[in-house]
Amino acid sequence: MATYLMALDQGTTSSRCILFNQKGEIASEVHREFTQIFPKDGWVEHDPIQIWESQVSVAYEAMLRVGATYKDISAIGITNQRETVVVWEKDTGKPICNAIVWQCRRTASDCDRLKAEGVEPEIRERTGLLVDPYFSATKLAWILDNVDGARARAEKGELLFGTVDTWLIYRLTGCKVHATDPSNASRTMLFNIHTMQWDEELLKLFRIPSCMLPTVMPSSGLFGYTAPHLFGGEIPIAGVAGDQQAALFGQCCFEKGDVKNTYGTGAFLLMNTGDTPVTSQKSLLTTVGWQIGDSVNYVLEGSVFICGAVIQWLRDGLGLMQSSSDSEELARRVPDSAGVYVVPAFVGLGAPYWDAYARGTIQGLTRASNKYHIIRAAIESMAYQTADVLAIMREETGIELTSLRVDGGASANNLLLQFQSDILGHTLHRPRCVENTAWGAAGLAGLAVGIYSDLDEFRRAWRIDRAFAPSIGQAERERLLEGWHRAVERSLSN
Ligand code: ADP
């Protein structure tokens, strides 16, 4: 039996490869940053060749570090930045232009037009998404309309489309397999999450030739084999999921009501809603978590724009600390935030407020307030914003939270997690393995090739680092939340 599961984690700023040993421990980890291209205000691109080369080179290096050959790798799992669009030539595997990255806003006016035409409810019903440049459809249409000859070539079947998972699979298999999984497909705004197929009506609406779309295959299963010249022999590619869904899987949130939150620059909350897609009235996204065999797990997704970034602002904007990790020790110098609230609405506020013109505020200052109160209040703002999104999830699904598992850079902060538990009135768990995204992709692959016989066996490899249980009562919780909501109200634009 081969020794390692290989996770290829193709992120927005770097490509990472992790080899997990049979105990699920990290045996080798290598990552490499690549170039961010900003051709115009609000435009973001990547070079697909750089994505590919950085990804394959970190894979070589990770193998080299532990002396592994292709025979030592039981399977590859791929996880990736979602929504980003790549278009390439079917025959040569050569991209016809740069990848348009999820962050790119170039199609904002196309989305405004679609909304004005009143098609959003229909799109939402079919895809679970809101009309926004974030998703792939308008970006792909943009390429077809703006790259010389692209539409004609696409219609003749000469060009292929893929999100980054698909691009990597195509290159890894030596241009043989053109495939994706439903967690990635469900972020394109072209995929019907009820029928689990590309949606003919949406393809017509966005004028996308169906011959350029990848085959959608279960997230855990054999996608194909790596071309022998790459690693010296064939390795099965057996797991694929978008980054947030892979993290939910890596956190073993397999049951309805399980939630994970990633506290990174922003925060991403995903709730497993089981085999039923739940449609949100309040701008949460309904999306596919993963498909194993015929069974599909749906999720509800909410995000917070500014999470750990508020700590970066304290560090870089205000110069209050040397490093983000100092924030905990500094905040502990005061027993509480003494009525100070920081509302980090630097780029407006998302769910449930949806006010693009809201702006950041610090409130409740008195002559006794000092920088430690502000730091503490900033840490607390991450927890309050998370609580707001969770409250809508609970309200919209009617599903009670069963478990909250946390990860991301700021989840190292114990004060944050204790306060989060206090404010939610729920216990939360931080796992020992912080690389949940890669671990989820490895798990999907491991299940497919029989390293794990079922989800329970995979779950047994999950280890808690620390649990945080609520330490305040309901009255205190309500008092704090009320103060937060008053502060948010004052940061709104009207
Ligand atoms: P991303 O993947 O979004 O780049 P990470 O998961 O690496 O983000 O997390 C980085 C973010 O977490 C930064 O915004 C940083 O300010 C914040 N952060 C890191 N460590 C801590 C800490 N100990 N306490 C609070 N925030 C932290």
Side-chain angles (χ1 to χ4, degrees), residues 219-284:
S219 318
S220 178
L222 184 65
F223 284 76
Y225 292 92
T226 57
H229 71 270
L230 285 173
F231 299 103
E234 293 185 331
I235 307 174
I237 302 166
V240 175
D243 53 10
Q244 295 306 322
Q245 291 99 323
L248 188 72
F249 192 86
Q251 288 274 30
C252 298
C253 290
F254 302 143
E255 311 297 331
K256 188 168 164 176
D258 288 353
V259 180
K260 72 95 195 169
N261 189 23
T262 302
Y263 299 86
T265 309
F268 280 97
L269 277 122
L270 269 69
M271 174 188 266
N272 188 331
T273 63
D275 56 10
T276 323
V278 176
T279 308
S280 164
Q281 303 306 316
K282 286 199 181 143
S283 310
L284 298 178

Side-chain angles (χ1 to χ4, degrees), residues 5-281:
L5 281 168
M6 174 186 279
L8 300 181
D9 179 359
Q10 206 303 305
T12 309
T13 55
S14 70
S15 296
R16 180 185 305 269
C17 173
I18 297 183
L19 298 183
F20 291 97
N21 67 18
Q22 285 174 328
K23 288 192 214 145
E25 297 158 343
I26 295 175
S28 176
E29 188 268 342
V30 182
H31 63 273
R32 183 152 302 144
E33 291 197 4
F34 57 88
T35 315
Q36 306 292 312
I37 304 165
F38 307 109
K40 286 188 192 178
D41 225 21
W43 290 32
V44 189
E45 296 180 355
H46 291 157
D47 174 355
I49 295 294
Q50 250 195 44
I51 289 183
W52 160 245
E53 288 180 350
S54 60
Q55 191 63 71
V56 78
S57 70
V58 290
Y60 289 142
E61 206 172 320
M63 289 168 75
L64 204 65
R65 285 198 188 172
V66 290
T69 73
Y70 76 93
K71 291 183 189 150
D72 301 313
I73 312 290
S74 13
I76 295 176
I78 297 176
T79 180
N80 54 288
Q81 52 167 317
R82 304 177 300 174
E83 297 105 8
T84 297
V85 171
V86 189
V87 176
W88 64 91
E89 292 175 349
K90 187 177 187 170
D91 285 346
T92 63
K94 226 175 97 194
I96 63 160
C97 57
N98 277 338
I100 304 186
V101 177
W102 58 273
Q103 297 156 322
C104 186
R105 308 298 295 174
R106 80 182 62 185
T107 56
S109 59
D110 301 327
C111 291
D112 290 342
R113 187 175 39 76
L114 286 166
K115 285 194 219 171
E117 287 168 6
V119 292
E120 187 166 41
E122 186 67 28
I123 293 179
R124 181 150 206 194
E125 162 55 28
R126 290 165 188 259
T127 65
L129 307 174
L130 297 167
V131 173
D132 194 274
Y134 194 67
F135 306 106
S136 317
T138 55
K139 298 180 196 294
L140 174 53
W142 189 95
I143 290 176
L144 294 179
D145 288 333
N146 289 277
V147 174
D148 243 4
R151 183 169 294 284
R153 295 186 68 195
E155 278 163 3
K156 275 194 271 174
E158 291 174 16
L159 301 182
L160 299 178
F161 152 74
T163 41
V164 168
D165 54 314
T166 306
W167 167 240
L168 293 178
I169 294 169
Y170 200 72
R171 296 299 295 233
L172 283 167
T173 58
C175 302
K176 285 212 174 93
V177 178
H178 184 225
T180 188
D181 93 299
S183 73
N184 278 295
S186 68
R187 312 297 294 187
T188 59
M189 221 155 77
L190 299 169
F191 186 72
N192 188 313
I193 60 169
H194 307 284
T195 62
M196 296 294 284
Q197 285 173 344
W198 298 115
D199 189 297
E200 292 298 332
E201 292 301 315
L202 294 178
L203 295 180
K204 251 187 257 161
L205 178 72
F206 290 103
R207 300 173 59 232
I208 309 294
S210 59
C211 58
M212 69 185 312
L213 300 175
T215 307
V216 184
M217 298 165 73
S219 318
S220 178
L222 184 65
F223 284 76
Y225 292 92
T226 57
H229 71 270
L230 285 173
F231 299 103
E234 293 185 331
I235 307 174
I237 302 166
V240 175
D243 53 10
Q244 295 306 322
Q245 291 99 323
L248 188 72
F249 192 86
Q251 288 274 30
C252 298
C253 290
F254 302 143
E255 311 297 331
K256 188 168 164 176
D258 288 353
V259 180
K260 72 95 195 169
N261 189 23
T262 302
Y263 299 86
T265 309
F268 280 97
L269 277 122
L270 269 69
M271 174 188 266
N272 188 331
T273 63
D275 56 10
T276 323
V278 176
T279 308
S280 164
Q281 303 306 316

Side-chain angles (χ1 to χ4, degrees), residues 281-450:
Q281 303 306 316
K282 286 199 181 143
S283 310
L284 298 178
L285 305 174
T286 309
T287 199
V288 175
W290 49 80
Q291 180 183 353
I292 300 176
D294 290 333
S295 133
V296 178
N297 253 263
Y298 291 93
V299 302
L300 206 54
E301 174 173 320
S303 50
V304 171
F305 302 147
I306 301 289
C307 185
V310 70
I311 306 297
Q312 285 169 310
W313 174 72
L314 295 181
R315 185 192 64 194
D316 307 336
L318 298 188
L320 292 183
M321 60 190 80
Q322 291 284 320
S323 124
S324 295
S325 55
D326 297 340
S327 62
E328 180 170 351
E329 191 266 317
L330 295 170
R332 285 194 192 281
R333 295 194 193 179
V334 287
D336 54 45
S337 50
V340 176
Y341 287 93
V342 171
V343 183
F346 302 152
V347 292
L349 284 172
Y353 308 103
W354 294 104
D355 183 349
Y357 304 101
R359 285 299 174 261
T361 53
I362 301 178
Q363 288 166 57
L365 295 172
T366 67
R367 187 63 186 80
S369 308
N370 61 39
K371 63 178 176 183
Y372 306 120
H373 293 113
I374 293 175
I375 294 170
R376 194 161 180 129
I379 292 174
E380 291 173 355
S381 75
M382 299 193 256
Y384 283 125
Q385 294 183 94
T386 298
D388 281 343
V389 176
L390 270 172
I392 321 175
M393 283 187 171
R394 213 174 308 172
E395 188 184 313
E396 299 218 305
T397 57
I399 302 173
E400 266 311 305
L401 185 70
T402 49
S403 97
L404 175 61
R405 297 183 167 182
V406 300
D407 51 37
S411 73
N413 190 316
N414 294 323
L415 187 133
L416 163 65
L417 297 189
Q418 183 56 54
F419 189 75
Q420 184 74 80
S421 168
D422 287 345
I423 218 68
L424 292 174
H426 265 286
T427 300
L428 48 97
H429 297 101
R430 180 173 63 201
R432 249 190 244 168
C433 173
V434 289
E435 294 289 354
N436 286 300
T437 307
W439 177 233
L444 287 164
L447 267 179
V449 297

